Amino acid sequence: MDMQLSVKGKSIEPSVTLAITAKANAMKKAGENVISFSAGEPDFNTPENIQNAGIEAIKSGFTKYTPASGTPELKEAICNKLKRDNNLDFKSSEIIVSNGGKHSLYNALMAILNPGDEVIFSIPYWVSYPELIMIAGGEPVMLKTNENQEFKFNSSDLDKLKTNKTKAVILNSPNNPTGSVYTREELQDIADWAVKNNIFIISDELYEKLVYDGLEHVSIASLNDDIKKLTITVNGMAKAYAMTGWRIGYAAADEKIIKIMSNIQSHTTSNPNSIAQYASIEGLSGSQDSIMAMKGEFDKRRKIMADLINSIDGISCMVPKGAFYIMLNSSQLYGQEIEGMKIDSSVDFANLLLDKCKVAVVPGVAFGDDDYVRLSYATSSENINEGLSRIKELLGSK
């Protein structure tokens, strides 16, 4: 029988980042010495105080259902964190706890979009943005940014794409995959535009703790009450606290928005993992020393990787200001043949690196920009030195 399956479901593309990681893992399992720069998660273990809080939750029987939108205790900890770190005042009724940051983004889009509403976001983009928008019935509108502008956009760029269907802008700072960080002045420009045009801002701040070179992370919602009312601030435990597998994200927004998000979540997933919620209270409220130690290590690796890339002929990169990624510009190599392989795209270059020197990167086409590949420095300095040494040897032989 010819089954008529969901047109929407069939239109959703699998994550290219997961595909590359799977291929690299298969090679590793086969005994090959693969160095992977494709990871989207810290290589550190969850800090011990958070681990212990999770263990205590299990021993104390904290393994039952919780309120669908999260426990009151965790919401209170999130409110305290937002005040302490972001100068944002929220009540518990303006907070939702979800199954990871991605789930919070999904809930937010489902809560504000009607069929055909447009959502603007920048290229290069995190791979799930267009897919999540389409799942929610919206239309992705992509804004091309340039490396010489640190991959950032402004109100003039947004004006060129705004239509009467524009509903929201996704702002990701610090940015995955570029590592860009928006300044307070740049955010004020975007905030003024959003307020003027009555357009929502979905502010993805998952990497807020990973900002370097003395820069500060600024939450756009903290600029004034008008932009706060239009902003859905999304964050989570995954990146800063090395809690990717615990699956805890959260969002803060106007109570009317949070109520819709909570209703949607109550019928799709119900509550986030109770043990992970308990551990997250410790993460947000306990010692932050391990967070600063991880940030310091990422900063060292960032500098090593950027210096090595920019020492190799034919490739280059912007030194990122945040997160743990570098966008390596591979476009100078396009049209060349290297080790018998023709290089015409980021996929070609990624396959060249994986096949010829056993280094895994993510093709930039996954992020909407084929001139780049993404490297993650969420790996050891030894791996960074060895992997870039292999790439230098390969490209030096072309």
Side-chain angles (χ1 to χ4, degrees):
M1 183 177 68
D2 183 21
M3 292 187 291
Q4 297 301 310
L5 302 179
S6 164
V7 173
K8 179 189 286 187
K10 289 193 291 185
S11 72
I12 303 303
E13 296 291 334
S15 169
V16 176
T17 57
L18 295 179
I20 291 291
T21 301
K23 182 178 179 181
N25 287 341
M27 291 173 66
K28 285 182 179 179
K29 193 172 181 179
E32 299 187 57
N33 181 18
V34 174
I35 291 179
S36 179
F37 295 140
S38 63
E41 61 181 341
D43 58 317
F44 302 103
N45 287 333
T46 302
E48 190 172 358
N49 61 314
I50 301 174
Q51 293 181 34
N52 290 337
I55 293 168
E56 179 60 31
I58 295 171
K59 290 182 175 179
S60 299
F62 195 74
T63 54
K64 311 294 184 184
Y65 290 134
T66 76
S69 62
T71 66
E73 294 82 4
L74 180 51
K75 289 184 180 183
E76 181 181 358
I78 291 167
C79 289
N80 292 337
K81 179 266 175 218
L82 290 168
K83 179 62 176 177
R84 178 189 72 218
D85 295 349
N86 310 106
N87 195 30
L88 285 168
D89 288 302
F90 282 102
K91 301 176 296 185
S92 291
S93 58
E94 298 170 310
I95 304 293
I96 181 173
V97 185
S98 303
N99 297 279
K102 186 182 295 190
H103 189 207
S104 294
L105 289 167
Y106 167 80
N107 285 334
L109 290 163
M110 290 292 289
I112 67 172
L113 294 185
N114 291 307
D117 282 348
E118 295 174 348
V119 181
I120 301 173
F121 56 95
S122 60
I123 299 172
Y125 52 77
W126 181 52
V127 294
S128 292
Y129 289 154
E131 308 300 336
L132 289 171
I133 292 164
M134 289 188 289
I135 290 171
E139 296 291 333
V141 177
M142 303 180 191
L143 191 168
K144 183 73 169 71
T145 61
N146 298 304
E147 188 174 358
N148 58 11
Q149 295 174 317
E150 296 186 5
F151 299 109
K152 293 188 277 191
F153 61 85
N154 58 36
S155 60
S156 297
D157 299 319
L158 293 169
D159 261 335
K160 294 171 185 175
L161 294 179
K162 182 178 73 70
T163 73
N164 59 5
K165 292 185 176 181
T166 304
K167 190 65 166 287
V169 173
I170 297 179
L171 178 70
N172 180 205
S173 177
N175 185 271
N176 172 13
T178 68
S180 299
V181 177
Y182 283 78
T183 66
R184 182 178 295 273
E185 293 73 24
E186 290 165 340
L187 292 173
Q188 187 68 62
D189 170 59
I190 294 169
D192 291 345
W193 179 89
V195 171
K196 175 185 174 183
N197 293 286
N198 196 35
I199 288 171
F200 287 110
I201 298 290
I202 299 176
S203 185
D204 180 347
E205 303 182 12
L206 266 288
Y207 293 89
E208 68 157 332
K209 298 292 187 183
L210 302 176
V211 177
Y212 315 109
D213 295 338
L215 295 180
E216 64 168 342
H217 167 75
V218 178
S219 292
I220 192 170
S222 70
L223 297 178
N224 57 60
D225 288 341
D226 291 334
I227 189 60
K228 181 186 176 189
K229 192 167 184 64
L230 286 170
T231 300
I232 304 170
T233 301
V234 175
N235 210 321
M237 306 302 294
K239 311 301 182 180
Y241 295 90
M243 293 179 68
T244 49
W246 296 74
R247 307 311 301 142
I248 295 293
Y250 56 87
D254 183 271
E255 191 168 342
K256 293 177 183 176
I257 297 172
I258 293 297
K259 184 176 180 180
I260 297 173
M261 292 173 67
S262 299
N263 289 343
I264 291 168
Q265 182 165 302
S266 71
H267 290 292
T268 52
T269 65
S270 195
N271 67 274
N273 181 287
S274 60
I275 300 157
Q277 288 190 69
Y278 193 88
S280 294
I281 297 171
E282 172 61 25
L284 294 174
S285 307
S287 171
Q288 304 296 297
D289 290 349
S290 58
I291 311 309
M292 297 309 296
M294 284 189 280
K295 175 183 172 180
E297 184 60 31
F298 281 134
D299 191 14
K300 287 196 299 184
R301 297 171 182 180
R302 171 184 72 109
K303 294 170 181 173
I304 293 169
M305 180 175 277
D307 286 347
L308 288 172
I309 289 170
N310 286 323
S311 73
I312 300 172
D313 288 340
I315 59 176
S316 63
C317 73
M318 176 192 86
V319 181
K321 302 291 179 59
F324 44 68
Y325 307 106
I326 284 180
M327 287 298 270
L328 181 158
N329 192 326
S330 52
S331 62
Q332 295 178 58
L333 301 175
Y334 297 172
Q336 299 184 34
E337 186 172 298
I338 304 174
E339 293 280 309
M341 296 177 67
K342 186 73 180 297
I343 308 302
D344 288 322
S345 68
S346 61
V347 173
D348 292 341
F349 185 60
N351 280 324
L352 171 77
L353 296 185
L354 192 53
D355 293 346
K356 299 300 182 180
C357 58
K358 297 183 175 57
V359 172
V361 301
V362 183
V365 70
F367 313 105
D369 199 324
D370 205 25
D371 286 344
Y372 299 86
V373 296
R374 190 193 76 178
L375 281 69
S376 167
Y377 47 92
T379 187
S380 67
S381 297
E382 291 77 16
N383 281 345
I384 292 170
N385 279 295
E386 172 62 22
L388 269 298
S389 175
R390 293 182 191 181
I391 293 173
K392 185 171 187 175
E393 184 177 354
L394 173 70
L395 298 183
S397 67
K398 69 180 189 291

